[in-house]
Amino acid sequence: MSGSNTPTTKVNTGGDETMHITEEYKECVIEEIVSAAEEESSAPPPGQLLDGYDDIDMHYVERGPHGYGIYGFGERVEDPWEYLPGGHHPVHLGDTFYNYKVINKLGSGGFGTVWLCRVLEKDPTEYVALKIIRAMNSGEDNAELLNVRRLLKLAETDPDVEKYCLLPLDRFELEGVNGVHQCFVYPVAGQAVQEIWNNVKDPEEYLRSLTRQTVEAMAMFHRHGICHGDFRPSNILLRLDGLNGAREEEVEDLLGPAETLEVIPFTNMDKNAHPPGYLVKAVEFDGHFNARFASDKICVIDFGECFEISNPPERGAIPYEYASPELALADQCGTPSDIWALATSIFEIRTGYKLFSMEALNMYSAGKRHYKSREHPTTYAYWIINKCGMLPEPFWSKWSPKWRKWELRYGVPVEEVEERSLDHAQVRLETIREGTSRKVGHLLRPLRAKRGWRASLTDEERMLFEDLVFKMTDYDVSKRLTMEEVLRHPWLSYGVGKASLVEVHTTEPVHVNVRQPYGSGNDASFEHNEVQCTTAGTLEVEDVDMAEAPATVIPDPVDGPQQNGLEAGFSKGDIHQQSVEINLPQSQESSTPAAQEPSKFGPTLELNVVREGVFAVSTWLRTTVGKAFQSMIA
């Protein structure tokens, strides 16, 4: 498999040895020469500092291609070089848009920036999240606007839409120096579930609850014929409870002072560039803030990549760490790629670790730098083969030579490279077990406990969870679990008690067509407001007037009746008795993946989905699984 028939060229090195250069190596060298030339050609022309900036230490200035730079390390900020026509709107602390006053930044991304605002003239205080979309993405046919309108329409008949989606309270257009921007006003949500820092009653049940809600959320999208398209932990937030009504000074004390990066203009600054005087770093919610305001309910955000299941886009946009092979390497979007993203998300929520973490490929060899960015297809192929094993065809033929080349560059022995590419199921199972066997990575502390909580999954839960994730990440999309099969998996009922039931029902899909013209959604909720803006106009944060203003409370979204289980895509009247097989992963000493060999515990466990749509999980399952595991390790 290693390419022993690969053509090579002999090169005399001037000594007693001859170097054999493969055609693959030649291709790699050519790629690196082209990349180096592109980097050199994109370097900004030289420019001088403007008057008044002479004391700036240029060692700490990151220069961009449009004649300005930023002073400091650009983390937790948007792309600094997108303040051109069609790009971001420049925002300063203290700016007001309509009746929303900016007091801090909540986040940023490729499509816009999100700001924590206080609603003026409201008493008691009220806070909202203002999302300002880039001008180039703010047309009347932009996907986020269309999808939000359709979700609002669906929420009129399905309470789960409001329960699991962060829906806007208001919308307006903002005309600025870089164009016209769509602006959405949302309830303020808290930290993302990728790294949870909180005080909770029962850490294990808390994480299982968040994970179940995440599954329920995707089930809701699929039930209505929608793929989210960018489903990952950073787009799943904790709802806040009690923020409205808190004094502005109290909120500022809990969040800490806003962190900024000064924008440094040069003499050759592009006349079309309109950056702000400083960039604001997104806030980081710490344990004190979360203990005060964070709830145990999730909400999904960022609907710009949603699409109708029957009408997928030509390209996907999810980061590679959450992308399935068919999506990352062939742009094949659909429910299977959503299921893969769900698997990586619930793994990260439950364990606190990324399932398939990926870093840029970067090394020096023979005095030359070899580099591929984290979002380069070669980087994805390298890491997914290392973590999941041999890719299916036609991907293997195309990407295995590049993978081998990087493995050999990193000094991996040839025989180990060959061995790693043989059994893809076993490699993937080992990757899953590596994460589930570690202590949970979230920073959680039980209530009234003096110390933090760090524990691994129990043996019983670990077996079930590994089986679920393993089946949700099958290379073969025809074998990958469907949403209905995920909801019927026994892990979803683990730990909820024998009285807990999983209600299963279906409605006919309501297809969301993101290509429909604007105006087909909930017009009553989206009045077109004329925006009134005032700008603080200062480069220094401490000079901005942060005087408090009165405000009122928006009631928290009504969650509706709480259910003890998960909703799937079946109606009660259509349910027939059926069974679900559970192939439990074997012990870590075993060399055969659970999905490929019957359990050595004896007969396969079966759980019945009984009449009336009730998925009963009784105590005999937990007892049987526990005894089976004990017999396995004995």
Side-chain angles (χ1 to χ4, degrees), residues 109-111 131 144 218 221 226-236 300-307 313 315-323 327 333-334 337-338 341-342 344-345 375:
F111 288 96
K131 184 173 184 177
E144 174 137 0
M218 180 168 282
F221 281 103
I226 306 170
C227 277
H228 185 275
D230 194 14
F231 201 87
R232 51 192 167 109
S234 61
N235 285 334
I236 304 168
V300 180
I301 63 169
D302 201 346
F303 311 113
E305 300 297 336
C306 289
F307 59 89
R315 302 180 67 86
I318 193 168
Y320 276 162
E321 289 180 322
Y322 307 98
L327 173 57
C333 309
S337 59
D338 246 17
L342 176 61
T344 59
S345 297
E375 294 299 312

Side-chain angles (χ1 to χ4, degrees), residues 328-358:
L329 302 178
D331 287 317
Q332 296 175 7
C333 309
T335 52
S337 59
D338 246 17
I339 294 295
W340 181 288
L342 176 61
T344 59
S345 297
I346 64 174
F347 187 91
E348 193 167 338
I349 295 170
R350 182 61 187 93
T351 68
Y353 305 105
K354 285 184 170 63
L355 177 55
F356 304 128
S357 59
M358 299 182 183

Side-chain angles (χ1 to χ4, degrees), residues 39-49 58 60-72 78-84 262-270 273 275 279:
E39 290 179 6
E40 184 176 350
S41 63
S42 63
Q48 302 299 318
L49 287 170
M58 291 299 296
Y60 298 100
V61 175
E62 180 184 356
R63 298 186 60 165
H66 305 297
Y68 64 91
I70 57 172
Y71 186 79
E78 64 277 14
D79 186 339
W81 325 124
E82 290 197 354
Y83 283 95
L84 296 168
E262 186 177 4
V263 172
I264 309 298
F266 295 93
T267 54
N268 63 332
M269 182 170 169
D270 189 333
L279 302 181

